[in-house]
Amino acid sequence: MLKEDIIALKKSKNAVILAHYYQDSQIQDVADYVGDSLELSRIAAKVDADIIIFCGVNFMAETAKILAPSKKVLLPVKEAKCPMAMMVTAEKLKAYKLAHPDRIVICYVNSYADVKALSDVCVTSSNAEKIIKSYKNQKILYIPDKNLGLYLKDKYQLDIDVWPGFCCIHNNLRIEDVIQMKEKHPNALVLIHPESPLEVLKLADYVGSTKGIVDFATKSENKDFIIGTEEGILHPLKKLNPHKSFYLLNQGLTCFDMKLTRLEDVYTALLDETFEIIVPENIRIKAYESLKKMLEMS
Ligand code: SF4
């Protein structure tokens, strides 16, 4: 019933619902578009709608607002925040830049607008490898995810300084998790998100973004997969591959903030048009430049 109410209200207000792969399955099923940060950024920039309901965490809704300033962007749960994005502040980044003016600042999309505004280019886990590689002869600062930065530093021998931030979910993955799961499922391929520690990534059969993992598993002829990313991904994986089996790498792969959004919150957000994302225009313009560069380089 609630689902039908949401669909009717969405139509009457010319709204679209964007949902990240890590959202609850009920939210994914009511969304117009489900994707990872890169896909959702692209959609936000071009979608024909007056209102975007962003089911995810606040930096994602903020990114949508930066890319689509004329649209009203709403985050159904005000408290949904990514802990990693809070690990870098504009003040600390300004201080770093003063001390290291020769470093190109490459900023993971999991960050706030004022941090993006101080950066040279943004990346997501889908395009980080391609974009960072294109700066391989320069000195780089990568913020705020140390794990993705260390993974690419190791893979391409880059001169890259990494900010000490991390995702509280992926950073907990351990070598023992891979060993135990491989013992239980010896024929399974191990697919892991690059926000995980380097020593764990070195044991993976495939390292890639959430979308990359979905595509890899869908195209693969293998039948079993061990999944090292947030459990919300199991929903699209099972929908697309009903005859394949997926096992989470460990049982702690649930992002608390991503799971705050309920159907009731989506309905209320549509009805009352809460909670609107506002980005000051002087910051938005600068942050837009680093996101635009990312979209051009992807
Ligand atoms: S899964 Fe990790 S990076 Fe993604 S929103 Fe949650 S804490 Fe942030």
Side-chain angles (χ1 to χ4, degrees):
M1 184 62 187
L2 197 50
K3 193 173 167 184
E4 283 75 50
D5 290 344
I6 289 172
I7 291 167
L9 199 50
K10 191 174 70 169
K11 264 193 193 153
S12 74
K13 294 204 170 192
N14 190 26
V16 290
I17 299 177
L18 310 189
H20 194 273
Y21 282 126
Y22 297 168
Q23 292 284 291
D24 260 346
S25 54
Q26 282 192 323
I27 303 289
Q28 292 190 36
D29 287 344
V30 84
D32 297 284
Y33 302 95
V34 180
D36 66 3
S37 299
L38 179 60
E39 293 172 284
L40 296 178
S41 306
R42 284 203 172 110
I43 291 162
K46 64 173 192 213
V47 73
D48 179 19
D50 296 320
I51 296 176
I52 294 174
I53 306 283
F54 208 114
C55 301
V57 288
N58 65 354
F59 81 80
M60 296 177 174
E62 202 185 60
T63 303
K65 183 67 185 177
I66 294 166
L67 291 168
S70 61
K71 291 164 195 156
K72 187 180 250 190
V73 179
L74 305 172
L75 181 72
V77 177
K78 195 163 69 173
E79 296 76 22
K81 297 175 181 160
C82 168
M84 186 207 285
M86 293 188 269
M87 293 176 189
V88 56
T89 62
E91 287 66 35
K92 286 188 180 161
L93 180 55
K94 271 185 204 160
Y96 180 97
K97 284 179 61 157
L98 271 178
H100 306 87
D102 53 340
R103 289 211 175 249
I104 299 281
V105 180
I106 302 184
C107 178
Y108 200 29
V109 74
N110 296 40
S111 55
Y112 289 113
D114 54 354
V115 168
K116 289 185 175 81
L118 292 169
S119 302
D120 294 292
V121 61
C122 286
V123 297
T124 72
S125 51
S126 287
N127 57 27
E129 187 156 346
K130 183 176 179 193
I131 293 176
I132 290 178
K133 252 168 55 184
S134 71
Y135 290 95
K136 66 175 182 290
N137 296 322
Q138 297 182 58
K139 290 168 176 266
I140 298 168
L141 167 68
Y142 182 65
I143 56 171
D145 180 28
K146 64 175 181 176
N147 287 321
L148 199 152
L150 290 172
Y151 168 65
L152 293 178
K153 178 177 180 154
D154 178 75
K155 188 165 177 182
Y156 296 106
Q157 302 302 305
L158 302 171
D159 181 355
I160 178 166
D161 204 358
V162 295
W163 201 264
F166 55 89
C167 162
C168 331
I169 314 306
H170 295 93
N171 193 53
N172 286 337
L173 290 174
R174 295 287 170 262
I175 288 175
E176 298 73 52
D177 296 324
V178 181
I179 294 170
Q180 282 169 16
M181 288 303 284
K182 279 296 280 182
E183 274 171 16
K184 279 192 198 165
H185 308 285
N187 296 323
L189 292 177
V190 180
L191 319 183
I192 308 184
H193 194 283
E195 288 169 13
S196 311
L198 181 59
E199 64 274 16
V200 179
L201 294 174
K202 286 195 168 180
L203 300 178
D205 295 297
Y206 172 78
V207 175
S209 66
T210 318
K211 170 79 164 69
I213 289 175
V214 171
D215 289 347
F216 184 96
T218 304
K219 285 182 197 147
S220 171
E221 290 185 359
N222 217 66
K223 295 284 178 234
D224 292 354
F225 301 89
I226 296 166
I227 302 296
T229 192
E230 213 276 347
E231 51 138 9
I233 197 181
L234 295 181
H235 187 58
L237 280 172
K238 287 175 183 167
K239 254 178 148 174
L240 288 165
N241 304 282
H243 304 300
K244 295 182 182 176
S245 300
F246 300 97
Y247 312 98
L248 282 177
L249 187 47
N250 79 21
Q251 293 311 304
L253 285 163
T254 304
C255 176
F256 171 81
D257 287 272
M258 279 288 187
K259 297 294 187 276
L260 286 174
T261 314
R262 300 275 165 260
L263 281 181
E264 291 77 2
D265 303 313
V266 177
Y267 180 74
T268 307
L270 268 167
L271 189 67
D272 299 336
E273 300 190 11
T274 53
F275 296 94
E276 185 174 1
I277 300 290
I278 307 286
V279 181
E281 190 59 7
N282 59 331
I283 291 177
R284 192 197 69 79
I285 290 169
K286 289 184 190 153
Y288 176 75
E289 286 306 316
S290 50
L291 284 166
K292 189 170 98 169
K293 197 163 184 181
M294 169 188 87
L295 294 173
E296 287 166 359
M297 292 176 82
S298 300

